[in-house]
Amino acid sequence: MICLWDSQNSWDFSKPREPCGPEPAEAWAALGLSRPPPEAGPALHRARREVPPCLPPRVSLPPVLSRRCVHSKASVLGDPAPRGRPQEVEILDAKTREKLCFLDKVEPHATIAEIKNLFTKTHPQWYPARQSLRLDPKGKSLKDEDVLQKLPVGTTATLYFRDLGAQISWVTVFLTEYAGPLFIYLLFYFRVPFIYGHKYDFTSSRHTVVHLACICHSFHYIKRLLETLFVHRFSHGTMPLRNIFKNCTYYWGFAAWMAYYINHPLYTPPTYGAQQVKLALAIFVICQLGNFSIHMALRDLRPAGSKTRKIPYPTKNPFTWLFLLVSCPNYTYEVGSWIGFAIMTQCLPVALFSLVGFTQMTIWAKGKHRSYLKEFRDYPPLRMPIIPFLL
Ligand SMILES: NC(=O)c1ccc[n+]([C@@H]2O[C@H](COP(=O)([O-])OP(=O)(O)OC[C@H]3O[C@@H](n4cnc5c(N)ncnc54)[C@H](OP(=O)(O)O)[C@@H]3O)[C@@H](O)[C@H]2O)c1
């Protein structure tokens, strides 16, 4: 019996096929069976419906026959590939379905990261960080650590490729995004020439709140830079290069806009004076401590060098108790810090920055909250994404 599988082509049921083997009854006879064995059960009926007639239904075949035919059936039925045997992997373009690569004899325990490395050998322009491999052209990207034999594929796995575009490391991204606002704000604070007019060059504001605001703003971004370098354990090494232009425009642009007004020679301190500033400073400091505590708690969930994701729970540190009520308390504290800064400076661009940041972080928090619910069945039901009991 000749097997139908051509390693370069998958099944196409729309095309008429040349008869290439005995009909099922003859196939059983050839195997010394008068009828399908009982264990074939429902899978057999499915196989009868789905497999072209020249393929024998799903049974254990003698080794000589089984090798290639089980291979074909497994692909057709979507059953996992037999364990321990080398597999074939074909990589198609997710948009055009054009075959880009055929990998022969891939070890079944190969990871997606290893398959990406093999693919890069034939297509060096797509280095692994640029590649997204999926089981479905429109589905989610497979994780680098996913193992071929654990995926729902046959002995010939079809993976769909998407180019993620040029990549840049996360650390570079964050350093660029956060160093910018720090530096830009200080240009306005020191009133370098060509900002406020000649007579104000390198002068200093007479309002205490302006100096306090500069300390708070600088502290915030220095903290973020240090956290990026020494606290966060990111699971993704890179992000698309184009994002950095968008993100820098947002962070740098808002920093310049806020700094321009706060350090302006005509700036007026907040309406309720020292009381308002003290209250705002307290909010800012508490939220910064809270944000840092959550980042430390998240770091402790993930052993160094791993990509583990766990449910975060409150620890002995009271700032982490917000985990009882929300999924992303670091965002809650971040928004709180900016609200504190807005109250302190009583400056419209700061209020707008807080609002835009809140909107963005709410979108992310909702996404993360949904992922937690999907990933962990025992996820605490009381939690909301970002605002306790509300949002
Ligand atoms: N002002 C603004 O507009 C703005 C906007 C966004 C962020 N931020 C600030 O930047 C900080 C970092 O932002 P982010 O979006 O990267 O925060 P994030 O997604 O909460 O992640 C912080 C770190 O914790 C890790 N992590 C998160 N959940 C985890 C879990 N369940 N198990 C193990 N590790 C986990 C993350 O790893 P992964 O790499 O796996 O995610 C990442 O390394 C925020 O907290 C906020 O202070 C500010």
Side-chain angles (χ1 to χ4, degrees):
M1 182 166 57
I2 302 160
C3 185
L4 286 169
W5 187 261
D6 163 6
S7 62
Q8 302 299 314
N9 300 292
S10 52
W11 288 108
D12 181 353
F13 295 107
S14 60
K15 289 183 192 154
R17 223 171 269 287
E18 287 296 311
C20 57
E23 289 299 304
E26 295 165 68
W28 299 119
L31 296 171
L33 299 168
S34 56
R35 57 193 176 88
E39 69 271 22
L44 173 62
H45 295 296
R46 210 170 69 234
R48 277 185 172 149
R49 276 202 313 275
E50 295 175 7
V51 180
C54 47
L55 263 188
R58 178 195 172 109
V59 282
S60 304
L61 301 175
V64 181
L65 291 175
S66 70
R67 184 122 192 243
R68 297 200 65 178
C69 293
V70 166
H71 155 128
S72 304
K73 283 186 295 173
S75 304
V76 171
L77 298 173
D79 290 343
R83 307 234 149 183
R85 276 187 212 163
Q87 285 186 245
E88 294 163 342
V89 176
E90 60 172 3
I91 299 179
L92 311 186
D93 186 303
K95 281 187 195 152
T96 61
R97 311 290 149 94
E98 176 199 345
K99 183 175 280 185
L100 299 171
C101 178
F102 184 82
L103 303 169
D104 204 4
K105 295 191 181 144
V106 179
E107 287 302 322
H109 53 260
T111 60
I112 290 298
E114 286 163 345
I115 292 172
K116 285 181 178 176
N117 281 326
L118 292 173
F119 184 43
T120 299
K121 286 190 181 151
T122 55
H123 295 80
Q125 73 276 28
W126 294 320
Y127 45 88
R130 267 188 94 135
Q131 299 174 29
S132 158
L133 294 179
R134 302 136 190 243
L135 288 175
D136 181 271
K138 290 184 183 159
K140 274 176 78 175
S141 300
L142 292 166
K143 293 185 192 145
D144 278 354
E145 56 275 19
D146 284 340
V147 177
L148 187 57
Q149 70 181 5
K150 292 195 178 152
L151 298 174
V153 292
T155 37
T156 296
T158 301
L159 301 179
Y160 294 90
F161 162 79
R162 255 178 199 270
D163 179 12
L164 297 174
Q167 299 288 303
I168 181 169
S169 93
W170 267 105
V171 173
T172 313
V173 170
F174 280 138
L175 295 185
T176 318
E177 279 177 18
Y178 303 156
L182 180 65
F183 179 69
I184 289 169
Y185 194 99
L186 291 175
L187 292 180
F188 288 87
Y189 177 73
F190 289 113
R191 295 182 179 164
V192 298
F194 307 110
I195 296 181
Y196 298 116
H198 237 17
K199 67 175 180 172
Y200 296 111
D201 286 355
F202 299 111
T203 57
S204 180
S205 170
R206 59 196 162 86
H207 304 299
T208 315
V209 66
V210 173
H211 306 299
L212 191 60
C214 179
I215 293 171
C216 289
H217 191 273
S218 305
F219 174 83
H220 177 73
Y221 281 105
I222 291 171
K223 169 182 159 295
R224 276 221 218 165
L225 286 167
L226 294 176
E227 284 177 341
T228 300
L229 290 173
F230 304 112
V231 177
H232 294 314
R233 288 176 174 158
F234 298 111
S235 55
H236 300 289
T238 62
M239 79 170 205
L241 178 65
R242 60 181 173 273
N243 286 10
I244 200 170
F245 300 110
K246 191 177 64 188
N247 295 7
C248 284
T249 308
Y250 167 73
Y251 280 111
W252 297 19
F254 262 114
W257 194 25
M258 293 190 293
Y260 176 82
Y261 284 102
I262 297 170
N263 297 290
H264 200 285
L266 300 179
Y267 170 80
T268 48
T271 317
Y272 299 100
Q275 265 185 332
Q276 184 170 336
V277 174
K278 277 184 201 162
L279 172 75
L281 182 63
I283 296 174
F284 182 84
V285 171
I286 289 171
C287 289
Q288 288 289 296
L289 285 171
N291 183 267
F292 176 70
S293 304
I294 301 299
H295 288 161
M296 290 302 289
L298 291 174
R299 170 201 167 87
D300 293 341
L301 286 183
R302 178 173 287 165
S306 80
K307 293 181 177 180
T308 322
R309 259 172 66 85
K310 291 184 196 153
I311 303 179
Y313 286 105
T315 65
K316 283 181 191 154
N317 176 346
F319 287 111
T320 65
W321 296 352
L322 201 49
F323 270 128
L324 288 171
L325 301 176
V326 294
S327 295
C328 303
N330 51 330
Y331 292 162
T332 317
Y333 284 124
E334 173 83 22
V335 175
S337 296
W338 287 109
I339 291 176
F341 194 65
I343 296 173
M344 179 189 297
T345 54
Q346 201 173 294
C347 179
L348 186 65
V350 181
L352 283 176
F353 180 62
S354 311
L355 186 67
V356 176
F358 172 61
T359 310
Q360 181 60 70
M361 282 182 268
T362 302
I363 295 169
W364 289 342
K366 282 184 168 180
K368 283 167 200 274
H369 183 73
R370 266 197 306 272
S371 312
Y372 278 134
L373 290 174
K374 219 159 112 186
E375 199 173 339
F376 304 106
R377 284 198 176 167
D378 51 343
Y379 195 70
L382 194 62
R383 290 189 198 182
M384 297 296 282
I386 185 167
I387 305 286
F389 309 112
L390 279 180
L391 194 65

